[in-house]
Amino acid sequence: MSLLQERAELAGSARQRRERPTMTRSAQARRARRIRHLKDHLVAYGLLSPALAVFVVFFYVPAAYLVYISFFHWGVLSSSTSFVGLENFRRLFAQPLFWHALATSGYYTLVMIPATTLLALGISLVLKEAVTARRGGVWRAAVFLPHVTPVVATSIIWVWIFNPQFGLANFVLEKLHLPALGWLDTTQWALPAVMIDSLWHSLGLYVIIFLAGLANVPRELVEVARLDGARRSRIFRRVILPLLSPTTFFVVILATVNSWQAFSQIYTMTGGPHGGAGGPAFSTTTDALLVYQTAFSFDHFSLAAAMALVLFVIILLLTVIQKWISNKVVFYR
Amino acid sequence: MARIELRGLTKQFGESRVVDEIDLMIDDGEFVVLLGPSGCGKTTTLRMIAGLEPISSGELVFDDKIMNDEPAERRGVGMVFQNYALYPHMTVAANLSFGLASRRGRGSRRVARQKERARVQEIARLLEIEHVLDRRPKELSGGQRQRVALGRALARDPDVFLLDEPLSNLDASLRDKMRMELARLHAELPITTLYVTHDQGEALTLADQLVVMNGGKIAQAGSPREIYARPADSFVAAFLGSPGMNLWPLGAGDNATHQEGLRLPDKIASLSARAGRLGATVGIRPEHLHIAGTRSDLVAHFTCRVQVVENLGSHLLLHGAMIDQARADVVAKLEPQFDVGRGDTISFGARAEHVHVFDAESGARIDDAIHRGGTPLHSHYRRQREAVIG
Ligand SMILES: Nc1ncnc2c1ncn2[C@@H]1O[C@H](COP(=O)(O)OP(=O)(O)OP(=O)(O)O)[C@@H](O)[C@H]1O
Ligand SMILES: [Mg+2]
């Protein structure tokens, strides 16, 4: 409640006290406040309700249902639904492929976070200089463009690029006098190939976020640091980076979540509708992919639900840990 | 310590000349104030001197060294920005020592640190901010931030001290206080100082040399007293003083000596013969208008009808218009006990030396020989350059 309202209320109750001396001032005020509170809340929830309804129906209910079925034996077509307690989780944890998928997801995320953050920061620093140039907008658009392309369509192009016989990737390696790679056909290079596609597709978004962050670093601070005799590297480390830390933190969180959830590009590049996704030899089977396959290929929805729940807990934990770390290193103005 | 010379200093953004061939000489330890209306190029001039803005043409000289291509960090310049630009993520102590640490040479890190700490203490004592050294800028009051910004610029012992409207973000009483502190600081540490402001009070009290700028050019430079007493042109006359000088047109051509309603002695009126096509402008400061008959030496008489009277405590500000000449507005400063109201008619006069005459077209003063652009250097430099370039 605003201060103004409060003051108006006090004035009002003072007037009432004069008229009806039997009623105590504070009781009056409290009742008036409670009624006003109720009205405020009703209006607020009324206005929120359409958006809230969409959220509840399409997000919270399915999410809650997912938690629910992870404790049951449940199928889309089967009529029998039986409570199995923690049975799904027990089977999950006893399953080596699940642990393998977790490790694969971890590997993927651990590479993607620093790669995304550093590359995006680097590109945005270069682009920042270009922003003031005449064609700055063109460069920004060029960097952002991949992000607005459909993942599945462009991933198919990347499959062609990584083709061991006549793909662009090996052509470039050959020109650089480097040995050709098997890429998607090998367990060692399949996941890195997917990483390159993901980086290409997602960098634009992070670059734009960093550019916004850089634009918020006051020009005077950099100028004052120059007058203070600091070299470029020192200005970057001691002035720009600390002021950019909230942006960096946001990018890291976003990259973490997006990496754990990465699915479309992995599915498309390693098999797609022809089957074999997650291969070769499960080398690209991440947690998200395994959830999909368990549910829709192996028709075991409750096991997939349990898996998704574990994935959710992991992402939540990671975010909490990152938040905790960030409180020590991120500077909020 | 440094002596600064600006020789035809120019800044061009695209087609527009924001700073236009400025000539100025600043003595070692001098306190120079740049005063001018918004957008006249004060900040740009300061930024060129600091090395934050490339110089389009002309020369910037510190002592006898041309500094045009010297990078900002090597000019020995300390600058205070209007919004202070303190590093928000550092403590006050770190803000003060950042520049010192940036310039750390070879040698023991520990010794360097100790020296820096001592210097920070010294500066903090000088500016009375010792008790806030551990705080972040966010946790400081406006005045404290101001002091930290000053301290940071001073910590490295600059040769040149540049201040861009350093007091404009403070409230009135704090501004008065900080103005006095700046005067004290400059007395203690006589560093060559360039101070930008559009506050006349600051300009007149702080300046050894006052530089009035208008439209990218120097309108006049000199001591505040000199500029106030003999403004070089009608712009400076109207800009300086609060309120500024009354300016009335003297008709052109045959009418040149005659302003309806204003009676001037022949000696002054005849000056307008020197004026150009559009005739002359007569100027008298509001505080130099006296009630007719109160003194024996008054000339330049006219009668005015009062429209508004403002009581400002220490004096009355009277707004009116000359009778017979409604277009000639009059502002006069009077003793507070003077009893006057709307609609009254009052006859005024002014002493001869307080009547200024300007050319209506160029605005230039025509009642005596003065050098526009102020300092003798200006004309000297002009002559020198003309001798060389032709
Ligand atoms: N980077 C720039 N590009 C183009 N024009 C500029 C640039 N910087 C300043 N100007 C123009 O130069 C003129 C002078 O600017 P400057 O900031 O020096 O004025 P100022 O005297 O400091 O004014 P104020 O009292 O408002 O601070 C203005 O008209 C401004 O629009
Ligand atoms: Mg300015």
Side-chain angles (χ1 to χ4, degrees):
Chain A
M1 182 157 53
S2 76
L3 217 75
L4 218 71
Q5 272 179 321
E6 197 124 32
R7 203 173 302 154
E9 207 171 85
L10 284 177
S13 64
R15 216 176 302 122
Q16 279 166 349
R17 183 168 44 148
R18 243 174 280 123
E19 287 159 7
R20 283 185 293 171
T22 45
M23 202 110 170
T24 68
R25 181 195 150 183
S26 64
Q28 271 278 342
R30 230 179 296 139
R31 218 189 66 181
R33 197 174 308 163
R34 216 174 313 139
I35 291 172
R36 203 153 311 163
H37 256 306
L38 196 67
K39 261 191 211 155
D40 281 354
H41 282 213
L42 280 179
V43 171
Y45 282 115
L47 292 172
L48 271 177
S49 59
L52 215 57
V54 171
F55 251 100
V56 167
V57 171
F58 293 105
F59 185 76
Y60 289 114
V61 167
Y65 197 60
L66 179 133
V67 176
Y68 170 79
I69 63 173
S70 66
F71 296 101
F72 285 80
H73 197 90
W74 184 92
V76 182
L77 297 176
S78 72
S79 52
S80 63
T81 302
S82 52
F83 182 73
V84 294
L86 294 174
E87 174 63 18
N88 284 328
F89 293 94
R90 200 191 55 73
R91 278 176 59 183
L92 201 59
F93 294 143
Q95 166 70 266
L97 185 58
F98 170 71
W99 293 107
H100 174 79
L102 268 190
T104 307
S105 284
Y107 168 47
Y108 181 82
T109 306
L110 238 51
V111 174
M112 285 298 282
I113 293 172
T116 307
T117 312
L118 294 179
L119 272 175
L121 181 58
I123 293 173
S124 62
L125 284 173
V126 172
L127 278 189
K128 181 167 187 295
E129 305 292 316
V131 164
T132 44
R134 269 159 60 107
R135 304 245 178 275
V138 176
W139 285 106
R140 259 174 300 166
V143 170
F144 190 62
L145 203 60
H147 189 69
V148 294
T149 58
V151 184
V152 174
T154 47
S155 289
I156 289 171
I157 296 173
W158 279 96
V159 170
W160 175 80
I161 291 176
F162 285 122
N163 184 299
Q165 275 83 47
F166 41 83
L168 194 62
N170 274 349
F171 178 76
V172 172
L173 287 179
E174 198 180 307
K175 287 283 165 215
L176 295 173
H177 301 290
L178 292 169
L181 298 172
W183 293 117
L184 293 166
D185 293 348
T186 62
T187 55
Q188 198 184 355
W189 290 104
L191 200 59
V194 175
M195 287 171 184
I196 291 171
D197 174 13
S198 303
L199 271 178
W200 174 83
H201 189 265
S202 63
L203 266 183
L205 176 67
Y206 301 118
V207 168
I208 295 294
I209 295 174
F210 268 124
L211 275 176
L214 283 171
N216 272 332
V217 175
R219 190 179 68 155
E220 288 96 9
L221 286 186
V222 175
E223 290 177 343
V224 140
R226 269 183 70 196
L227 292 176
D228 264 345
R231 271 188 290 270
R232 281 177 84 102
S233 60
R234 185 171 157 83
I235 294 176
F236 181 70
R237 266 185 300 115
R238 296 291 314 274
V239 179
I240 296 179
L241 221 46
L243 294 178
L244 206 56
S245 56
T247 310
T248 313
F249 175 63
F250 179 61
V251 165
V252 166
I253 294 278
L254 216 57
T256 309
V257 173
N258 283 345
S259 301
W260 274 103
Q261 295 182 340
F263 171 78
S264 309
Q265 62 271 48
I266 304 179
Y267 181 76
T268 313
M269 284 183 74
T270 60
H274 310 302
F282 300 110
S283 63
T284 56
T285 302
T286 57
D287 221 16
L289 195 72
L290 192 62
V291 169
Y292 171 82
Q293 288 177 330
T294 308
F296 298 104
S297 304
F298 316 141
D299 276 338
H300 203 320
F301 281 89
S302 35
L303 195 60
M307 228 181 271
L309 201 59
V310 173
L311 191 62
F312 165 72
V313 171
I314 288 173
I315 294 178
L316 188 68
L317 276 180
L318 276 179
T319 309
V320 169
I321 291 170
Q322 282 169 344
K323 177 71 194 156
W324 180 73
I325 295 173
S326 84
N327 284 343
K328 303 190 186 282
V329 295
V330 174
F331 169 76
Y332 290 101
R333 254 180 293 175
Chain B
M1 300 289 128
R3 194 162 43 79
I4 306 175
E5 259 180 75
L6 314 185
R7 298 178 183 158
L9 204 69
T10 299
K11 180 73 202 183
Q12 206 154 350
F13 286 117
E15 285 298 293
S16 66
R17 283 188 160 214
V18 168
V19 175
D20 195 1
E21 298 209 16
I22 285 187
D23 299 315
L24 187 66
M25 181 151 170
I26 302 168
D27 253 340
D28 190 8
E30 202 176 13
F31 198 116
V32 172
V33 175
L34 283 182
L35 178 69
S38 192
C40 71
K42 306 182 295 289
T43 299
T44 308
T45 305
L46 222 56
R47 289 171 58 82
M48 279 195 285
I49 294 173
L52 299 173
E53 203 78 71
I55 294 167
S56 303
S57 69
E59 279 174 358
L60 171 68
V61 182
F62 284 6
D63 291 324
D64 287 315
K65 192 160 180 281
I66 294 180
M67 304 299 274
N68 283 36
D69 298 321
E70 201 75 358
E73 56 270 27
R74 274 196 262 142
R75 292 191 185 187
V77 162
M79 185 158 171
V80 176
F81 288 76
Q82 183 172 351
N83 58 4
Y84 314 143
L86 298 176
Y87 307 120
H89 54 295
M90 297 183 196
T91 61
V92 169
N95 263 284
L96 294 178
S97 65
F98 184 82
L100 300 170
S102 299
R103 278 161 201 270
R104 226 178 253 165
R106 279 176 223 290
S108 160
R109 215 179 140 90
R110 205 166 49 82
V111 173
R113 281 247 176 92
Q114 255 165 15
K115 269 195 200 147
E116 284 158 27
R117 253 200 300 276
R119 178 70 180 151
V120 166
Q121 282 298 333
E122 191 185 333
I123 289 289
R125 206 170 318 121
L126 179 72
L127 292 165
E128 295 165 11
I129 45 174
E130 289 153 293
H131 57 294
V132 297
L133 281 177
D134 293 329
R135 297 201 202 153
R136 297 265 172 90
K138 198 166 56 177
E139 303 157 328
L140 300 179
S141 71
Q144 286 167 335
R145 278 178 211 176
Q146 174 57 55
R147 283 160 206 259
V148 176
L150 286 171
R152 183 179 55 182
L154 288 172
R156 289 184 299 102
D157 212 357
D159 298 326
V160 176
F161 200 26
L162 305 175
L163 301 112
D164 191 357
E165 308 200 24
L167 305 185
S168 63
N169 277 349
L170 302 179
D171 61 55
S173 66
L174 199 53
R175 199 165 0 179
D176 290 347
K177 181 158 174 273
M178 285 304 295
R179 193 175 65 201
M180 292 327 293
E181 297 238 338
L182 278 172
R184 172 183 69 90
L185 201 64
H186 188 250
E188 280 175 40
L189 304 170
I191 301 171
T192 312
T193 302
L194 222 78
Y195 183 104
V196 163
T197 183
H198 49 226
D199 182 302
Q200 302 184 25
E202 282 168 32
L204 294 171
T205 50
L206 288 171
D208 294 328
Q209 187 184 176
L210 177 59
V211 178
V212 183
M213 286 184 69
N214 183 28
K217 288 186 159 69
I218 292 184
Q220 190 174 7
S223 76
R225 188 189 298 254
E226 184 185 313
I227 293 181
Y228 194 81
R230 305 204 78 73
D233 61 24
S234 50
F235 166 78
V236 177
F239 187 71
L240 220 61
S242 63
M245 193 181 279
N246 291 296
L247 293 171
W248 302 299
L250 277 181
D254 290 344
N255 252 342
T257 56
H258 191 66
Q259 149 81 32
E260 207 76 47
L262 176 66
R263 295 185 306 281
L264 292 170
D266 288 344
K267 214 179 92 194
I268 295 175
S270 63
L271 279 173
S272 61
R274 289 195 218 162
R277 204 160 41 85
L278 298 182
T281 305
V282 183
I284 304 175
R285 291 205 179 278
E287 60 269 38
H288 293 149
L289 288 175
H290 302 280
I291 307 292
T294 53
R295 306 176 61 119
S296 57
D297 54 355
L298 297 183
V299 296
H301 289 279
F302 64 88
T303 307
C304 135
R305 172 157 284 126
V306 179
Q307 288 162 344
V308 179
V309 179
E310 287 181 278
N311 187 349
L312 299 180
S314 63
H315 59 266
L316 297 181
L317 217 49
L318 179 153
H319 301 264
M322 276 188 208
I323 288 186
D324 310 327
Q325 185 61 27
R327 281 183 303 124
D329 291 333
V330 176
V331 180
K333 239 179 193 173
L334 297 176
E335 296 289 306
Q337 63 272 19
F338 193 74
D339 186 22
V340 62
R342 182 181 162 82
D344 293 353
T345 52
I346 302 179
S347 287
F348 284 108
R351 288 160 63 190
E353 76 254 41
H354 288 152
V355 180
H356 309 261
V357 184
F358 306 99
D359 186 295
E361 190 169 15
S362 68
R365 185 178 194 91
I366 47 177
D367 58 344
D368 58 7
I370 49 121
H371 21 251
R372 280 168 58 68
T375 54
L377 169 90
H378 173 82
S379 40
H380 170 70
Y381 173 68
R382 233 336 106 72
R383 268 202 306 279
Q384 215 177 24
R385 198 172 59 162
E386 276 162 10
V388 175
I389 301 171

